[in-house]
Amino acid sequence: MAKTSPGEFVNQVRAEGRKVVWPSREETTRTAIFVGIMMVILSLFFLGIDSAFGAVMRWLLSLA
C-alpha cells in the first residue's frame, strides 16, 4: 500500500468534497415531512399489533 503525504491527502479530500451534491432546502423539507408521516403511521401500526398481541396473551392467561 502506497503512502500518501498529508498535502496530497488534503488535496484528495478537497477534490472529493467538490463532488458532493447537497440536497436543496425543499428536498430536505420534503424528506423530513415524509419521515415524520411514516414514523406516525408505523408507530400506530405497531401500537395496534402490540395491543392485539397483549389482548390475546391476557385472554390465554385468563384460561389457565
Side-chain angles (χ1 to χ4, degrees):
M1 187 166 156
K3 297 280 183 177
T4 304
S5 70
E8 185 180 347
F9 175 75
V10 170
N11 287 336
Q12 290 175 356
V13 169
R14 285 184 182 164
E16 289 298 320
R18 283 188 221 105
K19 295 178 187 178
V20 174
V21 178
W22 294 98
S24 67
R25 179 177 288 271
E26 179 185 338
E27 290 172 326
T28 304
T29 303
R30 188 180 317 135
T31 303
I33 290 170
F34 177 75
V35 168
I37 291 169
M38 288 304 296
M39 182 183 64
V40 169
I41 290 170
L42 287 173
S43 64
L44 291 173
F45 171 75
F46 285 116
L47 174 66
I49 295 295
D50 187 51
S51 297
F53 280 133
V56 169
M57 289 304 296
R58 278 191 303 276
W59 179 73
L60 289 173
L61 290 173
S62 71
L63 296 177

